[in-house]
Amino acid sequence: PLGAETLRLPLQILVRCTPNGPEVTASDLLDLANQDFALAIFMAVSAMRAGNGRLKLKLWQVLQELATFQFFSSEVSSFRQSSEETPLQDIVAEYPSYAHGLAYCLLQADALEACCDLVAGSAEAPQRVGIIMACLQMLHCLAASDQLWSSGRLLARRIAILWPRFGYRVLAPHLRRLVASTEAGGLSASASNRELRRDLRTLGWLLHHAPELSALAAPLATEITLRLLRSNAAPETLAVAIGVVANASALDKETPLVDALAAMDEVQKEAVQEKFPEETQRRLWIIEAAWPIIEELGLWPTESTETSTDEETTKRQKDIDAIAHLTPKVEGFSSVLPGGVDDVELATWGHEWETEQQEAEDAAGATAEVLAAEAAVEVSKSAKLSGPLGDLNVPAPGPKTLGRRSALFSQLATSPKDLRCALDGRLCTEPVFAAPNGDLLDVLYQRSSILAWLSQRQVCPITGVALQAEDLLPAVDRCAALLNWAARQY
């Protein structure tokens, strides 16, 4: 946007005039953008592409700060009109919506592409490492929870599209550097272990939210886990790595990794088994399909789980026995209907209950027919969307998600659905259709996004049909609709 270009210069002046280096904060960035989050993010990405090395690093740290719950709770909650203190549980409940809106802005501003460009063009290793760390910490803030499904899924889909750049040239070298540091030992090994666990856990959450990323991430996750196995890594780090390969579906078939896990000595296996529940948050970020495989490999502490279950069952039975002991032995008394009923009332109640059950069954039968018809439509739809990525299935964020003053964000969030890219939900600024063999597919893409995907796989990511870059056609009608929509915003 023009506003981002206009505000780039004052931002650079602000940062470069700071005596001891760039000290701009997320609050400073929002102030420059008049509290418009979308404009602030566009401005930051635009400035980091044109600024010096210190500015690029600092702006990535600012984007990471924007994504934290601490910033949301201290800054965004203050935008409320109410003067009363907001309960913490309300702030926690609103954070997923905030994360969704923030992820949407980051994708629209090409923030992940900027990270790839800056890492590739940075000559100084400390700045390159700092940018990667800030980016991964930002991803962790926006994806590391089952409540952050929408933001995590949007970001994971974008990473899948950019995998040749982000996966191979950003994430893989970073994780290998951390593994090498843990293998070397010394004072930095402990810090590297903590950072490696956090970044692997972030990847695990992204795979949890978007299983379609697993085919791309599986080779890297397998490589890291095998290296950790062979180097006798810390059991907590190995537990997280095993969780990631499980989410990447790398344990579903006989592979060298599965053989290596099965061949672990008992001491190492018991150490990993002990750490597994804690490091995976009791399997919270492990996909359910991987649970039986992990248990079969003997990496889940089944005995303690069974003991816990037995204790709960015993306690529940004792409670039932205690209630039965206190129940008076009076004729006509029903423990199901407290207070006692006589036989006539019980018979009447039974008849009414049977009538209600029959009515409920009839209604359920009618509902089942409707659901069956809807399911048939969904099956037909899913058959058409059988590509490597499939349907996005993430709605646009609410227009007021990032505050009432975020005008640019509100415009993006309320953009017409038929102008959004099928890959990641972004507003298409250069919309194209795919027409393999002359057959026009009713799937809209942002040109840069589909070209990035086709650089790694020559197949339509949504429908699964063979697709080449030459098969892309400009969506002329959508371009006209985009111009009309944009004209109405001003």
Side-chain angles (χ1 to χ4, degrees), residues 103-306:
Y104 188 77
C105 293
L106 288 166
L107 297 190
Q108 195 72 47
D110 289 335
L112 294 179
E113 289 89 332
C115 177
C116 297
D117 293 340
L118 297 180
V119 169
S122 178
E124 299 183 22
Q127 291 178 358
R128 184 167 60 250
V129 171
I131 290 171
I132 296 174
M133 290 176 61
C135 179
L136 291 178
Q137 288 173 19
M138 180 192 72
L139 292 175
H140 186 84
C141 292
L142 298 176
S145 169
D146 57 341
Q147 302 300 317
L148 298 175
W149 175 83
S150 56
S151 55
R153 183 164 175 76
L154 286 176
L155 293 166
R157 294 269 293 204
R158 191 67 197 159
I159 289 172
I161 297 167
L162 298 174
W163 189 257
R165 299 183 65 201
F166 190 88
Y168 296 150
R169 300 178 186 177
V170 176
L171 185 60
H174 175 70
L175 295 179
R176 289 169 184 151
R177 178 185 63 82
L178 292 176
V179 172
S181 180
T182 61
E183 291 172 343
L187 297 176
S188 63
S190 178
S192 296
N193 260 310
R194 288 194 300 271
E195 187 179 347
L196 179 59
R197 285 198 297 275
R198 185 199 63 224
D199 294 341
L200 286 174
R201 199 177 288 115
T202 301
L203 179 57
W205 272 113
L206 292 170
L207 290 165
H208 180 276
H209 297 314
E212 52 267 42
L213 181 60
S214 61
L216 299 169
L220 175 60
T222 300
E223 174 198 334
I224 298 299
T225 307
L226 281 172
R227 284 188 61 176
L228 293 173
L229 269 172
R230 292 164 182 164
S231 62
N232 281 328
E236 53 266 35
T237 305
L238 188 53
V240 176
I242 293 171
V244 173
V245 291
N247 275 14
S249 303
L251 302 179
D252 294 352
K253 56 185 73 173
E254 291 296 328
T255 61
L257 174 60
V258 174
D259 295 339
L261 290 174
M264 278 196 301
D265 61 74
E266 288 303 317
V267 175
Q268 188 181 30
K269 181 177 289 188
E270 288 177 3
V272 172
Q273 191 183 80
E274 181 182 354
K275 296 293 183 180
F276 208 90
E278 177 185 354
E279 295 299 331
T280 61
Q281 296 172 279
R282 298 203 66 81
R283 296 194 285 202
L284 181 63
W285 55 270
I286 305 297
I287 58 174
E288 191 171 349
W291 294 1
I293 302 171
I294 293 172
E295 292 175 358
E296 185 179 345
L297 289 170
L299 300 174
W300 182 257
T302 54
E303 292 184 3
S304 62
T305 304
E306 291 171 0

Side-chain angles (χ1 to χ4, degrees), residues 412-431:
L412 293 173
T414 56
S415 59
K417 185 177 180 180
D418 59 355
L419 296 180
R420 297 181 193 152
C421 179
L423 291 173
D424 51 25
R426 300 193 303 169
L427 175 66
C428 290
T429 56
E430 194 177 1

Side-chain angles (χ1 to χ4, degrees), residues 54-72:
R54 292 190 305 169
L55 175 61
K56 295 172 182 178
L57 173 57
K58 187 57 187 179
L59 287 176
W60 259 110
Q61 292 171 343
V62 167
L63 291 182
Q64 186 268 328
E65 182 186 354
L66 275 177
T68 60
F69 176 76
Q70 289 78 7
F71 179 83
F72 170 72

Side-chain angles (χ1 to χ4, degrees), residues 25-49:
T25 66
S27 297
D28 297 332
L29 186 65
L30 277 178
D31 289 341
L32 281 171
N34 196 25
Q35 305 303 322
D36 190 320
F37 278 81
L39 188 57
I41 291 173
F42 273 99
M43 181 171 60
V45 173
S46 177
M48 69 175 62
R49 288 185 179 278

